[in-house]
Amino acid sequence: MFLGLEEAAGLLSTNVETLKRWVRQGSIISHRIGDEVKFDVDELRKWSRKNKIAFKEPEKINNIVEHNTPLIKALENGFYFSYNEKRDFFDFYLYVASKIAAHLPCNVSDEALFKSFISREKTVPTVITANIAIPHPKITGEFGVEKSFIFLVKCSNPIKFPTEIDEESREVSLFFFILSKDTQDHIKILANIARICSSSDLFIELNSIEDKNSLLKKFYDLEEEILQKKK
């Protein structure tokens, strides 16, 4: 599981500036994913033991992963970020495709991802509710990923779907870019998202979320609320 600077600094009981200095010095293992620096939890744990630095186990994440729904697992495998720029629909999709391609463990080009996402949108737009879309490749499993991913993007400036894609030209602020390992997982993920969207205003729920740990906890809580209502 990859963490950002603030999350990793918290596990090592240090501050972000010190962690950045360690990265610059090459004294700690880090990974460049797109334009972001990320840290693997297992590597941090080993590094802390080797360097005799206290390590705080991410208890919340351990509990959430045990929840083990396809949605939670796919969110954990992907990334989450806020997008504050003003771009048109196609530029936005190309930008996100490039970040996804950089994140994936397999060799997938951003151009191939972009074309597949757009091809799917031209077939049937992926807007599912007001303000939310679930872009995914036209063919499930097209890129041969061994596990499912969700790349969640929250836009401060809504992205307007062009009329050639969506006759209603709807505006979307929350995107679940989904890469599923197979059809079964894909169906389960879509069902999880649909249930959550039908029971809460997801954009408002995520408004104050700034990191992936908090995001996973929020989705865990939302799914628990739905389960409790069924009892």
Side-chain angles (χ1 to χ4, degrees):
M1 180 177 65
F2 285 102
L3 303 178
L5 282 162
E6 290 187 5
E7 298 162 302
L11 296 187
L12 297 173
S13 300
T14 189
N15 57 64
V16 171
E17 292 307 314
T18 298
L19 186 55
K20 286 181 178 178
R21 186 176 73 250
W22 291 343
V23 171
R24 289 194 300 269
Q25 294 171 344
S27 60
I28 190 169
I29 299 174
S30 63
H31 304 268
R32 177 69 63 173
I33 298 177
D35 55 359
E36 299 178 351
V37 177
K38 296 291 186 179
F39 303 85
D40 181 84
V41 171
D42 291 333
E43 291 174 347
L44 287 178
R45 187 181 293 107
K46 293 176 183 177
W47 181 88
S48 67
R49 289 172 183 168
K50 181 179 178 181
N51 292 274
K52 298 181 180 179
I53 292 176
F55 181 81
K56 294 181 180 178
E57 288 292 339
E59 295 179 3
K60 288 183 178 179
I61 295 302
N62 289 339
N63 291 336
I64 292 167
V65 171
E66 289 174 5
H67 191 58
N68 216 30
T69 69
L71 174 62
I72 295 294
K73 288 191 291 185
L75 283 166
E76 195 219 347
N77 293 335
F79 57 63
Y80 166 68
F81 71 95
S82 296
Y83 182 80
N84 301 316
E85 298 183 34
K86 289 185 177 181
R87 298 194 190 195
D88 69 16
F89 173 86
F90 294 103
D91 284 345
F92 169 70
Y93 267 55
L94 184 58
Y95 174 77
V96 176
S98 68
K99 290 182 72 68
I100 292 174
H103 181 89
L104 292 175
C106 50
N107 186 23
V108 178
S109 72
D110 49 359
E111 183 179 0
L113 281 169
F114 171 73
K115 287 182 177 179
S116 188
F117 285 137
I118 296 303
S119 178
R120 177 65 178 82
E121 295 291 0
K122 287 182 176 180
T123 302
V124 179
T126 62
V127 181
I128 57 170
T129 67
N131 221 23
I132 297 175
I134 51 169
H136 50 273
K138 188 174 182 179
I139 302 173
T140 302
E142 177 179 356
F143 296 103
V145 293
E146 295 182 355
K147 55 185 177 181
S148 298
F149 296 82
I150 292 178
F151 305 95
L152 186 57
V153 186
K154 182 176 65 175
C155 302
S156 57
N157 299 298
I159 303 298
K160 188 174 184 178
F161 277 55
T163 53
E164 64 190 270
I165 298 291
D166 179 28
E167 291 182 358
E168 299 177 42
S169 196
R170 287 169 286 186
E171 294 187 343
V172 172
S173 297
L174 192 62
F175 290 83
F176 290 80
F177 284 85
I178 304 169
L179 285 181
S180 301
K181 63 180 181 180
D182 54 39
T183 302
Q184 184 179 12
D185 224 38
H186 189 66
I187 292 172
K188 289 178 180 178
I189 289 170
L190 294 183
N192 287 152
I193 293 173
R195 281 198 297 270
I196 290 174
C197 288
S198 66
S199 64
S200 62
D201 189 327
L202 199 51
F203 188 76
I204 293 177
E205 292 279 2
L206 300 180
N207 196 42
S208 61
I209 302 296
E210 297 297 337
D211 60 81
K212 195 165 78 171
N213 285 15
S214 300
L215 177 76
L216 292 173
K217 179 65 166 59
K218 173 57 71 173
F219 274 95
Y220 172 83
D221 290 343
L222 290 171
E223 288 198 333
E224 282 295 299
E225 287 177 15
I226 293 172
L227 290 173
Q228 291 299 321
K229 288 178 182 178
K230 287 183 177 181
K231 293 180 179 180

